[in-house]
């Protein structure tokens, strides 16, 4: 099969778990003999069959490179690939410029189109944009998106997820892009139900994000925490408003038990997090952006992986990588209960710092071994090798929905 992947985030010009998951998908598809070409923003791509589309040198979002407008990307792709119609399927991963170009090219040539929905763009606006500008920014993004993919579904403010006019605009953007696909891929059931609620009618195929098997080849042993010993925690997410590093540090400041928190990542809350940790004399080590291999080695020695986001994440790689390494997890969003195995986690009673602190303070130290055993038992389920057949099934279903005219 000849596959074109369009994504607005891909290593090394983009960061985060989703970028690494897409890279792992490409690797596994190629191992099976499929021809995969990834189109993404960036410069001087050196990976085989990765094509950097025209991108802005000085514009970045969350430190990821941004491609130029969809029409520029389309013209570039057709110059490089005048036989674009020979692709068997187009798979897009985001709602920004490069991915929009992929949608438009698929429709232009009548190719089967698969769309993976990764994130909550409504919450990204709600959390990261200053209050007076939320609706303005959401409306502008919605207008620009509709310019390239006309919107046929209108979303109004409600009491479910579109609690503000700004969030309604972003849900409108997401569901309209989803409706252009022949098949929708979603990593989690809870996100699929939200998309259906707002009018997405495309067939859904649930395909988990996957962890590269090569990344977790080392042997992982069952974690144990002796009574009264230092609780070793690792934060392996962006240090951003939506990931809620500051509320978690506030929870840590309330702990009476001995602990050590390793923090990996970068983001708009890094400076504030460092300042807060220093002011409150917290036992926290900040490492910034590091290679995944180094993070995995720290995970192998930790007792808990931390996820503090709430009503934002779809299926965070933080939880999947923890499962792949046999590491118990801590979170406060009940949506994450479907992501990890039973009896492998600690869940806070709510998103507030005090609720997180109570959960971390009161669990039994000996339960770490039981939780780790559960993670180790199910670690193979989150590897990319276990997901690839489902992804190919989505491609085949898309081809059935839109027969190719070649």
């Amino acid at each position: 099969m000849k596959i074109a992947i369009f994504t607005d985030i891909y290593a090394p010009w983009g960061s985060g778990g989703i970028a690494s998951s897409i890279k792992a998908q490409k690797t596994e598809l190629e191992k099976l003999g499929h021809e995969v070409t990834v189109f993404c923003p960036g410069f001087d791509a050196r990976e085989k069959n990765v094509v950097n589309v025209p991108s802005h040198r000085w514009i970045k979002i969350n430190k990821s490179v941004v491609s130029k407008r969809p029409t520029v990307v389309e013209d570039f792709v057709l110059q490089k690939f005048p036989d674009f119609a020979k692709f068997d399927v187009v798979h897009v991963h985001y709602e920004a410029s490069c991915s929009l170009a992929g949608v438009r090219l698929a429709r232009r040539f009548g190719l089967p189109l698969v769309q993976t929905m990764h994130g909550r763009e409504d919450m990204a606006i709600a959390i990261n944009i200053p209050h007076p500008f939320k609706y303005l920014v959401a409306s502008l993004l919605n207008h620009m998106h509709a310019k390239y993919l006309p919107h046929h579904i209108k979303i109004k403010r409600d009491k479910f997820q579109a609690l503000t006019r700004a969030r309604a605009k972003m849900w409108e953007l997401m569901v309209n892009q989803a409706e252009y696909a022949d098949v929708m891929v979603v990593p989690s059931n809870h996100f699929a139900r939200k998309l259906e609620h707002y009018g997405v009618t495309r067939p859904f195929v649930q395909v988990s994000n996957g962890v590269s098997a090569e990344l977790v080849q080392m042997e992982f042993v069952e974690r144990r925490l002796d009574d009264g010993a230092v609780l070793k925690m690792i934060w392996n997410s962006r240090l951003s408003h939506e990931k809620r590093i500051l509320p978690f540090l506030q929870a840590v400041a309330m702990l009476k038990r001995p602990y050590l928190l390793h923090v990996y990542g970068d983001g708009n809350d890094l400076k504030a997090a460092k300042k807060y940790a220093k002011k409150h004399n917290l036992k926290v080590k900040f490492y910034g952006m590091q290679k995944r291999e180094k993070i995995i080695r720290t995970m192998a020695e930790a007792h808990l992986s931390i996820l503090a986001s709430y009503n934002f994440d779809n299926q965070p790689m933080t939880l999947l990588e923890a499962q792949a390494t046999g590491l118990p997890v801590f979170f406060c969003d009940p949506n994450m209960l479907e992501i990890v195995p039973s009896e492998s986690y600690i869940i806070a009673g709510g998103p507030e710092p005090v609720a997180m602190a109570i959960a971390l303070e009161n669990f039994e130290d000996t339960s770490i071994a039981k939780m780790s055993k559960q993670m180790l038992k199910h670690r193979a389920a989150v590897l990319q090798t276990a997901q690839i057949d489902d992804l190919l099934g989505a491609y085949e279903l898309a081809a059935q929905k839109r027969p190719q005219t070649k």
Side-chain angles (χ1 to χ4, degrees):
M1 188 178 292
K2 192 173 182 181
I3 304 160
I5 294 178
F6 285 80
T7 173
D8 288 276
I9 300 179
Y10 191 77
W13 301 104
S15 60
I18 300 304
S20 61
S21 178
I22 297 171
K23 184 179 178 70
Q25 284 181 354
K26 175 178 179 289
T27 299
E28 293 303 323
L29 287 167
E30 289 175 336
K31 285 181 182 178
L32 294 174
H34 301 287
E35 183 180 337
V36 184
T37 304
V38 174
F39 298 93
C40 60
F43 310 97
D44 304 322
R46 297 181 182 181
E47 182 182 341
K48 183 180 178 181
N49 294 329
V50 172
V51 179
N52 286 144
V53 302
S55 305
H56 295 284
R57 282 282 177 184
W58 311 115
I59 300 177
K60 292 185 178 181
I61 297 178
N62 287 329
K63 298 197 174 182
S64 294
V65 175
V66 177
S67 70
K68 295 186 178 180
R69 64 183 183 274
T71 50
V72 173
V73 174
E74 291 171 54
D75 290 343
F76 170 83
V77 170
L78 292 180
Q79 287 176 7
K80 294 284 186 179
F81 293 83
D83 58 347
F84 189 85
K86 292 184 178 180
F87 280 105
D88 295 300
V89 64
V90 176
H91 185 179
V92 298
H93 281 272
Y94 281 92
E95 300 90 4
S97 295
C98 184
S99 297
L100 285 174
V103 174
R104 286 163 57 92
L105 286 168
R107 291 180 58 80
R108 179 173 174 177
F109 291 99
L111 299 177
L113 175 61
V114 174
Q115 165 80 37
T116 293
M117 301 298 288
H118 285 290
R120 292 288 300 277
E121 304 303 332
D122 64 314
M123 292 302 292
I125 291 292
I127 294 170
N128 290 300
I129 303 299
H131 181 71
F133 305 108
K134 295 183 191 294
Y135 181 69
L136 176 64
V137 172
S139 296
L140 179 61
L141 291 173
N142 187 285
H143 173 75
M144 293 172 64
H145 188 273
K147 178 181 177 181
Y148 296 103
L149 293 181
H151 291 184
H152 305 295
I153 299 174
K154 300 297 181 183
I155 305 297
K156 295 183 178 180
R157 186 172 60 178
D158 62 23
K159 294 182 179 181
F160 181 45
Q161 299 296 324
L163 300 179
T164 66
R165 291 191 302 160
R167 288 177 62 176
K169 285 291 185 182
M170 297 311 293
W171 273 106
E172 183 175 307
L173 183 156
M174 288 187 287
V175 300
N176 276 283
Q177 175 146 341
E179 278 292 280
Y180 278 94
D182 294 302
V183 170
M184 284 294 309
V185 167
V186 285
S188 61
N189 182 63
H190 72 87
F191 192 40
R193 301 291 76 80
K194 293 179 178 72
L195 291 165
E196 283 185 326
H197 175 88
Y198 285 115
V200 176
T201 62
R202 302 294 89 192
F204 285 88
V205 176
Q206 188 169 340
V207 182
S208 173
N209 293 316
V211 178
S212 170
E214 288 76 12
L215 184 64
V216 290
Q217 281 184 329
M218 64 181 288
E219 182 178 353
F220 297 96
V221 299
E222 185 179 298
R223 314 307 197 278
R224 293 181 179 274
L225 180 62
D226 296 330
D227 285 338
V230 174
L231 173 64
K232 298 177 183 178
M233 301 178 287
I234 179 172
W235 175 285
N236 177 23
S237 301
R238 295 191 307 276
L239 275 71
S240 58
H241 301 331
E242 64 270 18
K243 292 293 187 176
R244 298 184 356 111
I245 179 66
L246 288 174
F248 183 72
L249 290 180
Q250 292 168 17
V252 169
M254 301 178 196
L255 294 182
K256 296 179 181 178
R257 69 184 308 158
Y259 71 88
L260 175 61
L261 174 62
H262 299 276
V263 177
Y264 290 91
D266 199 352
N268 50 24
D269 270 347
L270 175 58
K271 290 183 179 179
K274 285 183 174 181
K275 182 178 180 180
Y276 184 91
K278 183 177 181 179
K279 179 179 179 181
H280 294 272
N281 196 30
L282 303 184
K283 296 178 177 62
V284 181
K285 294 183 178 181
F286 294 91
Y287 299 91
M289 296 296 294
Q290 298 288 337
K291 291 183 177 181
R292 308 303 291 177
E293 291 79 6
K294 180 176 181 179
I295 299 173
I296 294 297
R297 287 195 295 270
T298 302
M299 294 175 75
E301 299 175 356
H303 300 115
L304 272 180
S305 178
I306 305 300
L307 180 75
S309 62
Y310 190 82
N311 195 31
F312 173 77
D313 275 304
N314 181 356
Q315 190 202 38
M317 289 295 289
T318 295
L319 300 187
L320 302 185
E321 289 179 347
Q323 185 171 334
T325 61
L327 178 62
V329 293
F330 169 89
F331 53 84
C332 53
D333 185 349
N335 283 323
M336 299 301 104
L337 290 170
E338 75 164 272
I339 308 301
V340 296
S342 61
E343 300 181 315
S344 66
Y345 56 82
I346 298 169
I347 182 171
E352 303 83 7
V354 64
M356 290 190 282
I358 290 173
L360 287 171
E361 193 71 63
N362 294 336
F363 77 89
E364 294 183 6
D365 291 357
T366 55
S367 67
I368 289 292
K370 182 179 180 180
M371 290 187 284
S372 180
K373 185 175 182 179
Q374 278 291 91
M375 284 300 207
L376 288 169
K377 181 179 178 181
H378 296 92
R379 65 184 301 263
V382 297
L383 299 182
Q384 190 66 66
T385 49
Q387 322 306 329
I388 209 67
D389 285 345
D390 291 335
L391 182 60
L392 287 170
Y395 292 166
E396 292 168 1
L397 179 59
Q400 296 170 12
K401 293 290 182 181
R402 184 184 292 273
Q404 300 175 30
T405 56
K406 295 185 180 181

